[in-house]
Amino acid sequence: MSHKHIAPSERGVGTPSWSNRGFIEGKTLLPSPCFALPRKNLMAKRIKPPKEATMDTAAREYIRERDSDSDCPEGYGRCQHCNRILDFSQLQCSHLLGRRHREVRFDPENLVLLCMVAGKYKIGCHTHLDQHPIELHLWAQEFLGEDRYALLQERGRKLCKRTKQEKWDIVDTLRDMKDAL
C-alpha cells in the first residue's frame, strides 16, 4: 500500500506535516505533540557501567586490605574463621550471603576473607562453610553480632537494580575505603 504525499497547500493552513523529527508548521520545526519525550543531551558522554569483574576486584582488594592486620607480612592476610595467616593465593574473599543477593553483594559487611587450604577442616574454611550453611549462619551471627547479621539479611532480601552511576559509585567508594586503611 503506497501513501500519497499531500503538499502543505492541499492540507490547508496550519495543518502539521509529520516527520520522524517532529512536525513542521509552515517553516518552523516544532516538537511532535505525540512523542513529547524529554530530550537527552546528545553530546553528553555516555558512561559504560563497570563490569562485574571490576566491581569484584575493587571489593576483593578492599577486603584483603581490611582483613590483613599488622601481624601479616605484605601479600598475606588472616582467615576470619580460623585466624591463620596465609598468602593471598590461599585466601578467598567470601560472601556471608551469596552473590545472588545483589543488594549486599559488594557490601563490605557481607564480605570476609576465608582460607581455601586445609587447616581447621580438611578442605578449608571457605569450602567447609559453603557446604554447611547452618554452620555459616551461626558463625556469621557470632562474627557480626545477631543484630547486624539480621539487618544484613533484611537488606539482602531486597531487589536491586543499579544504574551505571551507582555501579561506578560502588567501585569508587571501595577504592577510597581501601586507600583510607
Side-chain angles (χ1 to χ4, degrees):
M1 175 178 184
S2 65
H3 295 284
K4 181 181 174 188
H5 177 69
I6 300 172
S9 59
E10 295 172 0
R11 273 186 259 122
V13 178
T15 306
S17 168
W18 294 96
S19 73
N20 62 350
R21 296 180 63 208
F23 67 92
I24 300 172
E25 195 170 295
K27 292 186 178 182
T28 308
L29 181 64
L30 300 172
S32 168
C34 293
F35 304 104
L37 298 174
R39 296 197 71 176
K40 292 182 180 177
N41 182 357
L42 299 177
M43 302 306 288
K45 183 181 177 185
R46 305 266 186 215
I47 300 173
K48 288 185 178 180
K51 295 183 178 180
E52 291 217 335
T54 304
M55 298 171 75
D56 284 333
T57 300
R60 180 177 57 250
E61 289 174 355
Y62 169 68
I63 297 305
R64 283 180 172 179
E65 193 73 28
R66 181 194 72 185
D67 291 351
S68 299
D69 50 33
S70 58
D71 298 341
C72 300
E74 185 69 28
Y76 286 76
R78 181 180 300 276
C79 174
Q80 298 301 300
H81 189 255
C82 68
N83 287 322
R84 290 190 307 154
I85 296 175
L86 298 166
D87 183 80
F88 283 139
S89 65
Q90 299 173 335
L91 294 166
Q92 185 80 24
C93 183
S94 181
H95 297 81
L96 298 176
L97 300 179
R99 292 165 49 125
R100 69 185 179 97
H101 298 277
R102 310 295 290 175
E103 181 67 27
V104 294
R105 177 173 178 178
F106 303 106
D107 188 334
E109 198 167 62
N110 186 40
L111 299 166
V112 293
L113 208 54
L114 296 175
C115 65
M116 292 291 293
V117 295
K120 184 174 181 180
Y121 307 103
K122 293 181 181 179
I123 52 176
C125 296
H126 182 270
T127 308
H128 176 79
L129 292 173
D130 270 354
Q131 293 175 356
H132 298 87
I134 294 173
E135 189 174 336
L136 171 63
H137 175 77
L138 295 173
W139 177 74
Q141 279 184 328
E142 179 185 327
F143 183 72
L144 290 176
E146 287 184 28
D147 295 338
R148 282 177 55 201
Y149 187 61
L151 289 172
L152 180 68
Q153 286 181 312
E154 187 177 319
R155 287 195 328 263
R157 286 187 204 103
K158 292 181 184 174
L159 297 176
C160 177
K161 177 75 174 167
R162 292 191 173 99
T163 65
K164 296 176 205 175
Q165 188 58 49
E166 288 172 332
K167 290 178 181 179
W168 277 115
D169 290 345
I170 289 171
V171 171
D172 293 338
T173 301
L174 288 167
R175 288 177 178 166
D176 292 344
M177 290 168 62
K178 178 187 171 218
D179 293 340
L181 292 176

